[in-house]
């Protein structure tokens, strides 16, 4: 089954891009491909200038290490690790001096400085997503992928999480690729793209509603 | 995941049983691809294989032994009395459906050419023997014949021929008649064991009995009526037989008078049952672990079915039926494996086992299937109930999973079922309850210990600085994953440590059994018995053995006496019903006296003569003179059979005199020791006045056999009995039993591995999630596999330590309580189990998680289809 076809897209450093589309349009699949979490059946993909097609699973993982952050719709926190441990996880893979302090600092920045030792199940959905945000930015990545980051949150909480996401993004000057069906959210990105029946088309600001 | 069941409710609403049968069957067939279903299948099949293999084998062995007992007794039912039987009795036996044969036994003088020797005469009819064959040498040829000598002929033991200096073809004088010697008896099928009758055998035909004129008023003659037929027939006559017994007829039948298996074989039997149970327990643990995954995987299906309107009852029925199919299929495969396995066991033991064994019966098969069902219900039941409790809302909201089954409920129900199986297999409720209670306590202790160790591991892991790389990082992350997944890890830890300890215990017991057997029969085990040494020959006999024979036992005086009263009553009335036919009541016992405890005997109750300030045994003389009871020491097993304790009294008829003894000590001894052993020992100075001879046992190497001839010439009255052949047979048996034990050990190991497999399958999704995330953050395959390896190895290591502890305690309990071995520490356990465990779990885990690591992060995180 073909989910995506005839796609051409390039994203430059520092840019923030929203990919909009209805449910089932293949947004998440596209995100997975962009991040090298999966491989396309045909076509060319490159990340940080390197062709993903030339790399095996391990090579793609190495390319991501420390340079790419992720925020998922369903948070993807390890249920058995504390908030701090979850944030430290990416740092531990490429040992860094002062990792612990950095983890605490980032959790402080997302407003969870008091809840370092809580397990995910002891945190609300919004708090869990904020832990995920801290985890995405703790390695000072060059690129952050966000997959429906507010999908599992109520509007008010979602709003706060999004504010935080863009705030952190701006501070760090990170490239942001955001997948969503929420036009309000997409509006805050510099560029919006519409994914429809497997095809990608740029959207003007008017179309997004600005 | 929902695809596992397809769309079972499409079409019409479910109706009727057939529909659900078909539905469950289809569901199972689609499910066979799933690793957990395969693990369930393998575990159940192994449980059935273990239980049927051992069940078939033991069942056939039991029935074979009953047959052999029939052969040893000479029939399935033997009546014996000192006067001829009435025709009425014969008729009653025939009417019941038994084939009859008659015998007359007596001791009489045989003479030839002026030499006289006492012979143990056995008079047989045309129907002799009911079972087996006589090995007889005729004209230098050894023949096996299923008959006795013809009228006018006698067959005699080679020793009698030697003593009388008579040859085949000569005419032997017996009473008032003379008979032609036509054969030398090498072996009789119905040879009742031991040294009960020391006179050499003479066998003749019933038709010649009258002519001998030996059966006279007052002569000691035993008349025997031997019946052959199914044991049900014998059982149906029981009431009548009891009245006969009350009238003084000695009644022996195969069920009651079955020869006991040798120590080695009966321990091997116990070992096999034990190993079978261990395999069943392990399979149960595997089932429990695999079920967790099975249920997790079917929660979505169950929720969907609830949405479509299935009731809880219908859900229960669907999944129960599905597993029933699985259990039946696994039982079939297991039963076939069991049949093949028991054939293997028999092949290993074929040289030893008596005659051909009866074919496998249906009982073990039923028991095997019952075992599979019980395991499924007990070890999987509580977890399966989760499926029933699933809410339809789960379809909409993931987090609406029903609460996991409480660990204590799972363990509790499983323990109850296992206890039931224990009871079923062992037939011993107290033992089963004790094992069960001990097991529960041990589990609680292990649980606590495991939790403690886990905390320790977590603590240690957090001590490793976050900045390290390489191995330290791997260990840190692996240890943390393990310790953080506390609940699941504890479950695995328990399962693995129980598995390791069961495997270790079976291996340990095997080793200790073998060592015990080997040390029981060292190379210099006595291979000669000398009996009938007269008091005046004692010194010279001893001095001739001096220096030549090693490993000699002491010379024991021997006085023959019959138990005439127990606690002042008729002995038959004083003992429990099942002991009425005991040999020790029917025959004369060999009594001895000694001032110290014989070698190899152990006092288990009371005190040996003169110990503990009870006065000197020399007082016994005065007691006896005053007509009071003298102290005696009794063998523990006989006392147990007769229901006697320290303080009970026994009266012995020795010749025309009677002596009463009071039991002051009970001794435990090893009947397989190839040394003279005695049921009853008197203190010195009581029995000396009776006629007595001496017995001893010693070892002669083959190069020292010249001494055997010298002894025979110097002491013509002494009987030298060579037991090399018996010894050889016992040694051979031990080595064959060893092989059988190893075969069963292999089965237990397989069951153990099935546990590891099931447990790792159950934890696969969690691990997949973890490794998927790590990969998203940029971890490579090598790093992930090393982290998982570290985690598995650590799990194996801790399980090994706990398993060693458990095995050590359980083995000690078993040795004391069941196998009758002395417990000891096994240091090797504490090394082998932790490191072996780390290696084994590390390896199996590594292999099993390969497929997990091969998944793309998208798949392992379940990102596809989420958006």
């Amino acid at each position: 089954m073909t989910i995506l076809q005839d796609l051409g897209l390039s994203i430059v450093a520092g840019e923030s891009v929203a990919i909009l589309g209805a449910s089932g349009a293949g947004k998440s699949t596209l995100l997975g491909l962009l991040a090298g979490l999966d491989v396309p059946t045909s076509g060319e993909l490159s990340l940080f200038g390197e062709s993903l097609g030339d790399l095996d699973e391990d090579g793609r993982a190495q390319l991501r290490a420390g340079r790419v952050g992720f925020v998922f719709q369903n948070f993807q926190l390890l249920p058995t690790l504390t908030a701090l441990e979850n944030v430290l996880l990416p740092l531990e893979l490429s040992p860094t001096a002062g990792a612990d302090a950095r983890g605490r600092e980032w959790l402080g920045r997302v407003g969870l400085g008091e809840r370092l030792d809580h397990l995910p199940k002891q945190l609300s959905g919004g708090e869990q997503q904020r832990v995920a945000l801290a985890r995405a930015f703790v390695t000072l990545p060059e690129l952050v992928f966000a997959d429906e980051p507010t999908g599992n949150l109520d509007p008010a909480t979602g709003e706060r999480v999004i504010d935080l996401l863009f705030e952190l993004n701006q501070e760090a000057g990170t490239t942001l690729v955001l997948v969503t069906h929420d036009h309000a959210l997409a509006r805050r990105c510099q560029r919006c793209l519409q994914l429809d029946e497997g095809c990608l088309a740029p959207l003007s600001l008017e179309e997004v509603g600005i | 995941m929902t695809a596992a069941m397809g769309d079972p409710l499409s079409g019409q609403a479910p109706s009727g049983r057939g529909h659900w049968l078909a539905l469950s069957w289809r569901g199972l067939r689609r499910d066979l691809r799933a690793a957990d279903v395969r693990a369930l299948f393998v575990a159940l099949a192994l449980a059935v294989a273990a239980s049927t293999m051992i069940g078939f084998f033991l069942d056939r062995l039991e029935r074979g032994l009953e047959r052999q007992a029939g052969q040893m007794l000479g029939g399935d039912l033997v009546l014996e009395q000192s006067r001829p039987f009435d025709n009425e009795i014969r008729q009653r036996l025939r009417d019941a459906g038994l084939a009859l044969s008659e015998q007359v036994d007596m001791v009489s003088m045989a003479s030839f050419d002026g030499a006289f020797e006492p012979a143990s005469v056995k008079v047989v009819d045309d129907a002799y023997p009911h079972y087996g064959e006589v090995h007889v040498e005729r004209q230098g040829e050894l023949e096996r014949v299923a008959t006795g000598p013809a009228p006018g002929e006698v067959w005699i033991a080679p020793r009698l021929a030697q003593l009388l200096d008579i040859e085949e073809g000569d005419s032997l004088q017996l009473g008032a008649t003379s008979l032609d010697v036509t054969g030398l008896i090498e072996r009789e099928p119905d040879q009742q064991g031991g040294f009960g009758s020391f006179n050499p055998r003479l066998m003749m035909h019933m038709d010649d009995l009258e002519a001998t004129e030996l059966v006279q008023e007052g002569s000691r003659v035993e008349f025997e009526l031997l019946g052959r037929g199914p044991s049900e027939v014998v059982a149906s006559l029981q009431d009548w037989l009891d009245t006969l017994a009350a009238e003084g007829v000695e009644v022996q039948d195969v069920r009651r008078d079955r020869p006991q298996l040798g120590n080695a074989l009966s321990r091997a039997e116990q070992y096999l049952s034990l190993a079978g149970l261990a395999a069943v327990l392990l399979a149960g643990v595997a089932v429990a672990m695999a079920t967790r995954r099975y249920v997790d995987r079917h929660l979505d299906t169950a929720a969907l079915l609830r949405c479509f309107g299935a009731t809880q009852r219908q859900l229960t029925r669907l999944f129960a039926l599905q597993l029933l199919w699985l259990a039946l299929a696994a039982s079939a495969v297991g039963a076939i494996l069991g049949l093949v396995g028991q054939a293997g066991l028999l092949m290993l033991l074929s040289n030893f086992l008596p005659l051909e064994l009866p074919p496998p019966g249906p009982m073990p098969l039923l028991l095997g299937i019952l075992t599979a069902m019980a395991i499924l219900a007990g070890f999987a039941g509580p977890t399966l109930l989760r499926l029933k409790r699933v809410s339809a809302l789960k379809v909409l909201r993931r987090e609406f999973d029903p609460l996991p089954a409480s660990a204590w409920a799972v363990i509790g129900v499983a323990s109850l079922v296992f206890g039931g199986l224990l009871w079923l297999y062992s037939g011993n409720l107290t033992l089963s309850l004790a094992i069960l209670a001990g097991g529960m306590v041990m589990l609680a202790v292990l649980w606590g210990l495991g939790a403690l160790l886990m905390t320790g591991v977590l603590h240690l892991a957090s001590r490793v600085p976050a900045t390290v790389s390489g191995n330290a990082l791997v260990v840190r992350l692996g240890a943390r994953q393990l310790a953080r997944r506390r609940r699941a890890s504890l479950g695995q830890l328990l399962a693995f440590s129980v598995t390791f300890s069961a495997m270790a215990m079976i291996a340990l017991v095997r080793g200790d059994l073998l060592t015990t057997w080997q040390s029981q029969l060292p190379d210099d085990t006595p291979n000669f018995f000398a009996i009938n040494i007269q008091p005046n020959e004692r010194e010279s006999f001893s001095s001739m053995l001096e220096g030549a024979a090693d490993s000699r036992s002491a010379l024991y005086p021997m006085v023959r006496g019959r138990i005439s009263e127990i606690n002042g009553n008729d002995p038959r009335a004083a003992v429990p019903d099942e002991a009425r036919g005991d040999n020790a009541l029917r025959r004369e016992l060999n009594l001895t006296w000694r001032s110290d405890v014989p070698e190899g005997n152990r006092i288990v109750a009371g005190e040996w003569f003169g110990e503990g300030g009870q006065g000197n045994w020399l007082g016994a003389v005065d007691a006896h003179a005053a007509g009071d009871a003298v102290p005696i020491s009794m063998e523990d097993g006989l006392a147990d059979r007769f229901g006697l304790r320290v303080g009970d009294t026994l009266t012995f008829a020795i010749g025309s005199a009677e002596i009463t003894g009071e039991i002051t000590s009970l001794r435990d001894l090893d009947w397989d020791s190839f040394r003279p052993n005695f049921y009853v020992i008197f203190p010195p100075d009581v029995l000396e006045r009776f006629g007595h001879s001496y017995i001893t046992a010693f070892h002669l190497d083959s190069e020292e056999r010249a001494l055997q001839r010298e002894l025979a010439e110097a002491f013509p009255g002494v009987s030298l009995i060579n037991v090399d052949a018996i010894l050889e047979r016992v040694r051979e048996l031990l080595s064959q039993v060893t092989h059988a034990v190893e075969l069963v050990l292999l089965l237990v190991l397989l069951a153990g591995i099935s546990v590891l497999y099931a447990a790792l399958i159950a934890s696969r999704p969690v691990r997949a999630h973890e490794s998927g995330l790590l990969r998203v953050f940029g971890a490579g395959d090598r790093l992930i596999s090393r982290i998982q390896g570290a985690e598995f190895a650590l799990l194996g290591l801790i399980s090994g330590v706990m398993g060693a502890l458990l095995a050590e305690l359980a083995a000690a309990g078993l040795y004391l309580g069941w196998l009758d071995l002395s417990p000891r520490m096994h240091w090797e356990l504490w090394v082998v189990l932790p490191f072996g465990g780390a290696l084994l779990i590390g390896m199996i885990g590594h292999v099993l998680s390969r497929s997990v690591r091969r998944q793309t992060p998208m798949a392992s995180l379940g990102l596809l289809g989420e958006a």
Side-chain angles (χ1 to χ4, degrees), chain B residues 15-90:
Chain B
S15 63
R17 263 154 222 274
H19 172 83
W20 286 96
L21 278 179
L23 194 61
S24 58
W25 174 242
R26 237 182 311 149
L28 177 66
R29 255 188 22 220
R30 286 181 195 139
D31 237 10
L32 283 178
R33 265 166 268 140
D36 49 296
V37 173
R38 280 189 305 217
L40 272 176
F41 184 88
V42 168
L44 286 173
L46 273 175
V48 175
S51 93
T52 49
M53 165 170 145
I54 291 161
F56 277 135
F57 174 72
L58 291 184
D59 177 58
R60 292 179 70 184
L61 189 64
E62 293 276 303
R63 288 186 294 141
L65 283 170
E66 195 161 287
R67 240 190 231 189
Q68 193 200 24
Q71 176 175 331
M72 303 250 299
L73 275 180
D76 299 296
L77 173 68
V78 177
L79 304 182
E80 194 178 319
Q81 64 178 17
S82 51
R83 56 198 165 83
F85 283 94
D86 298 335
N87 266 330
E88 229 176 281
I89 294 181
R90 285 195 190 86

Side-chain angles (χ1 to χ4, degrees), chain B residues 366-440:
Chain B
L366 290 178
L367 204 61
I369 295 173
L370 183 70
T371 303
M373 299 297 166
I375 286 182
L376 200 53
F379 287 78
T383 312
L384 283 172
L385 287 183
R386 269 186 87 198
L387 283 176
K388 177 181 110 167
R389 291 199 314 260
V390 81
S391 149
L393 263 183
K394 182 179 152 50
V395 175
L396 300 176
R397 298 291 300 268
R398 229 155 223 291
E399 53 278 23
F400 270 69
D401 277 354
L403 286 174
S406 130
W408 290 112
V410 173
I411 291 177
V413 173
S415 303
L416 274 182
V417 168
F418 185 66
L421 285 176
L422 262 176
W423 187 16
L424 186 68
Y425 280 84
S426 70
N428 186 338
L429 182 61
T430 329
L431 179 80
S432 313
L433 285 177
I435 292 182
L436 201 59
M440 293 298 260

Side-chain angles (χ1 to χ4, degrees), chain A residues 28 58 61 64 76 80 85 92, chain B residues 476 484 769 775 778 781 867:
Chain A
S28 291
D58 269 3
R64 284 195 298 272
Q76 296 284 3
T80 54
E85 284 167 342
E92 283 169 331
Chain B
R476 175 188 145 90
R484 280 295 188 197
H769 184 227
R775 178 149 295 170
D781 189 48

Side-chain angles (χ1 to χ4, degrees), chain B residues 589-666:
Chain B
L589 296 184
N590 294 317
L591 311 174
T592 193
W593 66 83
R594 261 188 96 74
S595 56
D596 51 352
V597 184
E599 192 188 348
N601 285 219
R602 203 164 51 92
I603 301 296
V604 291
E607 273 153 355
W608 185 252
F609 313 127
E611 275 175 9
Q614 277 203 342
N616 199 301
W617 49 259
L618 285 168
V621 191
D622 306 328
H624 179 47
D628 291 342
V630 296
I632 54 172
S633 173
M634 193 163 187
E635 192 256 337
D636 185 39
L638 184 68
D640 198 40
R641 291 209 297 283
F642 284 2
L644 298 178
R645 262 174 260 145
V646 169
D648 286 326
T649 64
L650 288 167
T651 304
F652 294 91
I654 303 172
S656 56
E658 287 210 325
I659 285 192
T660 300
E662 180 186 331
I663 302 172
T664 55
S665 66
L666 296 178

